[in-house]
Amino acid sequence: MTGSAVLVHLAGAIALLLWATRMVRTGVERAYGDVLRRKLRHTFRNPLLAVIAGAGLAICLQSATAVSLLVGSFAGSGIVPAATGLVAVLGADLGSALVVKLLSFNLSAVAPLALFFGTAIFLATERRAWQQLGRILVGVGLLILSLQLIGSASEPLRESEILPVIVGYLSEDPITAFFLAAIGTWLFHSSVAFILLVAALAMRGLVPAELGIVLVLGANLGGGLIAAMLSRTMPAPSRTVPLGNLVIRAIGAVIALLALTLFDPPMEMIGSTPALQIVHTHILFNVFLVLLGMPFAGLVTRSLESLQAYAAPPPSAALEDREASALDPDALGSPSRALANVTRAVVGVCETVEVMLKNIMELYDDPEREQIDALASLDDRVDRKHAAIKLYLARIPPEAMNEEEEQRTAELLDACVKLEQVGDIIVRNMLVHVRKKLDRGLTFTPEGWRELSNLHASVLANARLAFNVLITRDPATALQLVREKDRLRDLERITSQSHFERLRKGAKKSLETSSLHLDTIRDLKQINSLLASLAYPVLEEEGVLGTTRLLPATV
C-alpha cells in the first residue's frame, strides 16, 4: 500500500472516531441533557461531589469540553460558585481519562452488538428518548470500530522510512512534540480522540512510550484550550471556569514536562507496554490536577474574575454596539439586507426567551430571590428588542419590497409578537407561581414534579425546533414541530388526569399544590402553542396546512 493510501485510510478512521464521539455526546445531550442539568446544579455546590459528578458526566458525554461549557454557564448564572465549578471540570477531565482507559480494552465483540441493537432501537420507534438511546449505542459501536480501523490503517506504517525520522526528531525535541500535540488536540476538538490515536500507534510500536507521554501532556493542554476558545463569545462570568481549567492544565502540564525531562522516571512502574504507560500517565496526570486544583481553585477563579472585571468594557457601550450591529440603519434602503439584519436580531430574542424558558423550571425546583429578579429583568430585554425590531421593520420602504419580502416582514413581526407573549407568560404567570411556592413553602409530589419536568422538557425541545424553523424555514422541521404539538397535547391530558387521580386519593401535597400544578400545565401548553404557530407560515407555503389542522396526507 502506498504512503498516500495509508494516510487516506488513517484519515478516514480518525474522522469516524471524531464522528462517533460526537454521536454519543449529542445523543446523551438530546435525551438526558435537561435532566442532567437539573440534577447536577445542586451536586456541583459540594466540591467533592462536584469532582465525582463531573467525572460521571464526562464519561456519559465522552467530552470534558462539553462539561466545561455547561458548568461555565452554571457559574455565569450564579447557580454554582466558580471555584466549585472549576473543581467539577477537573473531575470531568479525570472522567475523560477513564474513558480512554475503558476504550483501550479489547471491545471488538461489543461493536457489532452495539451497532445492531442501536440501529434496531432507532428504527423501531419514533419516541425521541428511545431514538437517542439507539443513537448512543450506534455511536459507541462506531467508536470501537474506528479504533480497529486506526489499528489496521497504521499497520503499514511499520515499514515506513519517513515515520522513524519524524518520531526520532520529536523524541529529541519534547517541547516541539508538546506543542504539536496541543495544536493537534485543538484541531481534533477532542482530547479523547487524540490520546486514543497516540495509544493505538504506541500499541503497534510506532510511537515510543517517552514520546507518547509528552504527546499526552500536550493533549491535556490542548483539551483545556478547546473549551477556552469555544467560550470566548460567552459572558465574562461564564468564561471563568473554562479559562481557570486552561490555567491549571497549562501549569500542570509544564511542571510534568519538566519533571519528565529532568528526572527521566522509570515508566515500567505504571504499565507493561507503551500503550498502557501512555494511558496510565494520562489518568495519573488528571488525578494530580484534581488534587492540585481543589485547594487552588478559589485563588485561580478570583484572579481571573478580577482580570475580566478590569478588562471589561462599560456595559452600556457593549449593549449599544450589539444593537447597532444587528439593526443597521444604513441597510434600510435594501429590504433584503434589512430583513437579514432583523433575522439576526430575532435570533437574539430567541436566545433570551430560551434562557428564560430553561431557567424558569429550575426556579420551581429551587426558588431564590436573586435568580427570580434576574429572570424578570430578561423580560424587559425582550420587550426592548421587540420594540427596536418593530420600529426597524416599519422604516423599511414598502415600495422597495417585493411580495416575498413583504411576507417575510409580516412573518418576522408576528414571530416577535409571539416571542414577547412567551416571555410575558413566563414572567407574569409562571414566575408568580414560583413566588407563591416560595412564600408558602410548598413542594410538589415526586410524581407531580416528574410530570411537570417531562412536560417542560418537551416544550423546551419544541422551542428549539421553533427557533430553527424561524431561521431556516425548513418544511420538514416545521412539520415535525406541528406534530410535536399534537404529542404534547396528549402528554398534557395524561398529566392532568394523573394529577386528578392523586387528588381523588387525597394526597396532601397534591391538594396543597393543585392550583400551581394545573396553572403550570396550562402555561406550558400555551407557550407550546405560541411556538408551534411559528411553523404555520412555512407549512402554508408548502400547501400542507388545512384550515385548522394538518391535511390527512401529511400526518
Side-chain angles (χ1 to χ4, degrees):
M1 187 182 293
T2 63
S4 57
V6 170
L7 292 177
V8 168
H9 281 78
L10 190 58
I14 293 170
L16 181 61
L17 174 62
L18 296 174
W19 178 253
T21 305
R22 177 181 172 81
M23 278 191 71
V24 175
R25 183 178 72 250
T26 55
V28 173
E29 287 176 344
R30 292 173 185 176
Y32 312 109
D34 293 321
V35 175
L36 288 172
R37 290 184 183 93
R38 202 160 46 245
K39 298 291 185 184
L40 292 173
R41 66 193 189 94
H42 297 296
T43 307
F44 282 158
R45 293 177 181 177
N46 182 298
L48 185 58
L49 290 178
V51 172
I52 298 171
L57 188 57
I59 291 171
C60 292
L61 296 176
Q62 297 198 3
S63 172
T65 300
V67 179
S68 181
L69 296 175
L70 173 62
V71 178
S73 68
F74 282 171
S77 302
I79 295 173
V80 298
T84 308
L86 177 53
V87 171
V89 172
L90 293 174
D93 289 316
L94 176 58
S96 178
L98 295 176
V99 169
V100 174
K101 175 61 179 177
L102 177 64
L103 294 174
S104 66
F105 292 117
N106 183 8
L107 301 173
S108 56
V110 177
L113 293 175
L115 289 170
F116 174 78
F117 286 109
T119 304
I121 292 172
F122 188 88
L123 296 178
T125 179
E126 291 187 0
R127 293 183 60 182
R128 182 188 299 270
W130 282 100
Q131 284 189 332
Q132 295 308 322
L133 176 60
R135 179 188 181 90
I136 293 167
L137 290 175
V138 171
V140 170
L142 292 177
L143 187 56
I144 298 169
L145 181 62
S146 68
L147 294 175
Q148 296 173 357
L149 292 176
I150 288 174
S152 300
S154 59
E155 193 67 31
L157 293 176
R158 292 174 182 269
E159 310 300 327
S160 171
E161 297 179 357
I162 300 177
L163 185 62
V165 176
I166 297 174
V167 170
Y169 173 76
L170 293 177
S171 298
E172 296 297 326
D173 189 357
I175 295 177
T176 299
F178 177 79
F179 285 109
L180 282 178
I183 295 170
T185 303
W186 179 75
L187 291 174
F188 274 34
H189 265 51
S190 172
S191 60
V192 171
F194 186 86
I195 294 172
L196 284 172
L197 174 63
V198 174
L201 295 176
M203 190 178 298
R204 280 157 179 77
L206 300 173
V207 174
E210 293 76 9
L211 175 59
I213 291 172
V214 172
L215 295 176
V216 162
L217 295 176
N220 276 275
L221 173 62
L225 184 63
I226 296 169
M229 293 295 291
L230 291 176
S231 67
R232 65 187 184 278
T233 59
M234 297 169 68
S238 299
R239 295 199 302 269
T240 302
V241 169
L243 288 174
N245 184 45
L246 175 60
V247 169
I248 290 180
R249 301 194 78 71
I251 293 173
V254 169
I255 292 174
L257 181 62
L258 289 174
L260 184 68
T261 304
L262 296 176
F263 300 108
D264 192 22
M267 295 293 105
E268 295 78 12
M269 297 176 60
I270 58 174
S272 58
T273 65
L276 287 177
Q277 292 168 12
I278 289 169
V279 172
H280 291 167
T281 299
H282 182 41
I283 296 173
L284 289 174
F285 175 75
N286 281 280
V287 170
F288 166 74
L289 286 188
V290 170
L291 297 176
L292 176 70
M294 290 184 74
F296 290 103
L299 175 63
V300 172
T301 54
R302 285 194 300 271
S303 301
L304 289 172
E305 287 168 349
S306 299
L307 288 173
Q308 289 172 337
Y310 178 78
S316 58
L319 179 60
E320 289 171 4
D321 290 344
R322 288 198 297 270
E323 294 292 347
S325 65
L327 301 176
D328 182 9
D330 294 336
L332 288 169
S334 171
S336 60
R337 285 179 55 203
L339 291 175
N341 290 340
V342 172
T343 302
R344 289 170 54 201
V346 171
V347 170
V349 179
C350 292
E351 291 173 347
T352 305
V353 169
E354 182 178 355
V355 170
M356 295 173 67
L357 184 58
K358 185 189 303 181
N359 290 346
I360 186 63
M361 216 59 186
E362 296 177 353
L363 290 178
Y364 267 81
D365 186 29
D366 185 17
E368 297 178 0
R369 299 287 183 186
E370 292 182 1
Q371 297 301 321
I372 290 173
D373 295 338
L375 183 61
S377 67
L378 291 179
D379 187 49
D380 297 332
R381 186 188 303 177
V382 171
D383 292 341
R384 287 196 304 270
K385 290 183 176 182
H386 172 235
I389 291 170
K390 184 167 56 177
L391 292 174
Y392 188 83
L393 286 171
R395 293 172 61 191
I396 302 176
E399 63 276 4
M401 290 190 287
N402 56 36
E403 184 177 350
E404 183 179 346
E405 290 166 343
E406 289 179 354
Q407 183 177 351
R408 181 61 172 165
T409 299
E411 185 179 332
L412 290 171
L413 183 58
D414 182 61
C416 274
V417 171
K418 288 171 180 172
L419 290 171
E420 185 186 30
Q421 290 173 341
V422 170
D424 289 342
I425 292 171
I426 293 172
V427 171
R428 297 178 186 178
N429 294 358
M430 299 183 75
L431 209 53
V432 172
H433 306 333
V434 170
R435 291 192 176 100
K436 185 185 297 184
K437 182 175 179 290
L438 175 62
D439 294 338
R440 299 182 182 178
L442 300 176
T443 56
F444 293 108
T445 63
E447 298 83 1
W449 176 244
R450 184 168 57 251
E451 291 166 359
L452 289 179
S453 298
N454 291 338
L455 189 64
H456 172 262
S458 297
V459 173
L460 184 60
N462 291 345
R464 290 163 179 160
L465 281 178
F467 300 153
N468 289 339
V469 169
L470 183 59
I471 305 306
T472 65
R473 307 191 84 253
D474 176 49
T477 307
L479 190 59
Q480 181 185 355
L481 177 59
V482 176
R483 285 171 172 166
E484 290 294 334
K485 178 185 176 183
D486 291 337
R487 291 193 183 96
L488 189 124
R489 186 190 300 114
D490 296 335
L491 180 60
E492 177 265 335
R493 184 173 61 252
I494 294 170
T495 301
S496 298
Q497 289 173 352
S498 299
H499 177 69
F500 281 120
E501 284 296 325
R502 289 193 296 275
L503 289 179
R504 290 191 186 100
K505 294 177 181 178
K508 183 179 179 181
K509 282 188 177 181
S510 295
L511 290 170
E512 292 174 342
T513 60
S514 179
S515 61
L516 287 178
H517 191 101
L518 295 175
D519 287 345
T520 301
I521 292 174
R522 180 204 62 201
D523 293 334
L524 289 172
K525 181 181 178 183
Q526 189 176 358
I527 288 172
N528 192 73
S529 297
L530 286 168
L531 294 170
S533 65
L534 298 180
Y536 294 163
V538 177
L539 295 179
E540 273 187 313
E541 285 186 14
E542 296 295 314
V544 295
L545 193 68
T547 54
T548 58
R549 301 291 297 275
L550 290 174
L551 294 175
T554 65
V555 176

